[in-house]
Amino acid sequence: MPRIKGPRKVKQYSNEFKVTAARLSHLPGVQVKDVAEELDIHPFMLSRWRKEMREGKLEVKVKKPIDPKTAAELKRLKKLERDYARLKEEHEILKRLFP
């Protein structure tokens, strides 16, 4: 078998991806090889992630819920940023039209 020349392609997957893939493979009637094929990963890798989940080595940190006041403030801030960007663009257009 010929050896592939060039740099080796190594993918690093996030913990969220690994946990989601492992959870998918635990669904009833779903086989590891099918999940691995759909996610374009090797079945052995998925089996290893499943084992790491069983052993508690692979976890996803649960995101803390955001305070409603903080969420409202973030929403308001994003709206202000959008409005500012639009006004800035309008100002630039007016400067070009009326020098």
Side-chain angles (χ1 to χ4, degrees), residues 30-44:
V30 177
Q31 294 183 347
V32 172
K33 68 176 185 154
D34 295 332
V35 174
E37 184 178 308
E38 289 299 316
L39 296 175
D40 196 28
I41 57 176
H42 197 277
F44 179 77

Side-chain angles (χ1 to χ4, degrees), residues 9-20:
K9 191 174 182 181
V10 177
K11 287 188 178 180
Q12 292 193 0
Y13 299 98
S14 68
N15 281 345
E16 290 89 14
F17 180 83
K18 293 176 184 180
V19 169
T20 303

Side-chain angles (χ1 to χ4, degrees), residues 13-97:
Y13 299 98
S14 68
N15 281 345
E16 290 89 14
F17 180 83
K18 293 176 184 180
V19 169
T20 303
R23 286 182 181 159
L24 283 173
S25 68
H26 281 292
L27 292 174
V30 177
Q31 294 183 347
V32 172
K33 68 176 185 154
D34 295 332
V35 174
E37 184 178 308
E38 289 299 316
L39 296 175
D40 196 28
I41 57 176
H42 197 277
F44 179 77
M45 185 180 293
L46 181 55
S47 296
R48 189 176 71 209
W49 295 344
R50 288 168 49 115
K51 180 182 176 200
E52 288 175 0
M53 268 188 61
R54 277 193 310 270
E55 295 173 349
K57 294 178 183 175
L58 186 61
E59 297 177 5
V60 173
K61 294 181 175 127
V62 178
K63 295 180 181 177
K64 295 180 183 176
I66 297 176
D67 179 43
K69 289 182 181 178
T70 306
E73 183 66 21
L74 287 172
K75 191 182 239 184
R76 188 181 74 81
L77 180 61
K78 286 182 181 180
K79 183 184 180 309
L80 287 172
E81 288 175 344
R82 280 194 311 269
D83 291 345
Y84 175 72
R86 190 193 69 210
L87 289 171
K88 193 173 177 181
E89 186 176 335
E90 289 175 358
H91 181 69
E92 290 298 320
I93 291 171
L94 288 172
K95 277 176 45 179
R96 279 186 262 141
L97 291 176

